[in-house]
Amino acid sequence: MASTKVKIKDRPLDIRQSREYANFLTGIFWQVERASIGQVFIKKLPIIGSALKIQRTEKINLKEIYSLQKKHRAFLTIVEPEIGLDTKPLITAGFKLTNSSYLPT
């Protein structure tokens, strides 16, 4: 059985940043965009705009997140940083912490 993690720079790649995960979400009608912060998943909703999902990013770049929000007319942005990453910049920018994960299971 194949492993769900791939080693990159002596650190395993989170499954949510893999090509296979992107293909899965594309199959359930999400769009995928590559950005310097990782894969960004976009769900377009008529009239409302779109929802952005950034899962297990290894860095936080607020300028890029704001740019993506504007580009895709996002009404909801979900950022799930890599475990152990400092979330203070997100909290300072007005993002709220949640205990629930946005995984498709």
Side-chain angles (χ1 to χ4, degrees):
M1 178 176 242
S3 173
T4 59
K5 295 203 175 192
V6 179
K7 286 242 178 188
I8 294 181
K9 297 180 186 174
D10 295 331
R11 185 178 174 155
L13 174 71
D14 189 273
I15 188 77
R16 287 157 294 257
Q17 289 298 323
S18 71
R19 182 174 296 139
E20 292 80 11
Y21 188 72
N23 290 340
F24 168 73
L25 283 181
T26 301
I28 57 172
F29 308 106
W30 285 78
Q31 294 177 349
V32 181
E33 184 173 321
R34 293 285 308 154
S36 70
I37 55 176
Q39 294 185 135
V40 178
F41 304 103
I42 304 118
K43 182 71 164 186
K44 300 232 181 231
L45 300 167
I47 300 170
I48 299 173
S50 62
L52 300 182
K53 185 165 64 165
I54 306 164
Q55 294 179 297
R56 300 301 188 244
T57 182
E58 292 183 352
K59 62 182 174 178
I60 296 171
N61 181 336
L62 290 172
K63 186 176 179 181
E64 186 168 19
I65 292 171
Y66 293 147
S67 175
L68 289 162
Q69 287 176 319
K70 184 176 180 179
K71 176 180 177 183
H72 296 287
R73 296 185 322 114
F75 73 93
L76 173 68
T77 302
I78 300 159
V79 181
E80 292 181 5
E82 185 68 40
I83 294 171
L85 192 65
D86 182 19
T87 57
K88 286 179 189 168
L90 289 170
I91 294 167
T92 302
F95 286 86
K96 308 245 183 304
L97 294 180
T98 181
N99 291 330
S100 55
S101 180
Y102 290 90
L103 300 177
T105 54

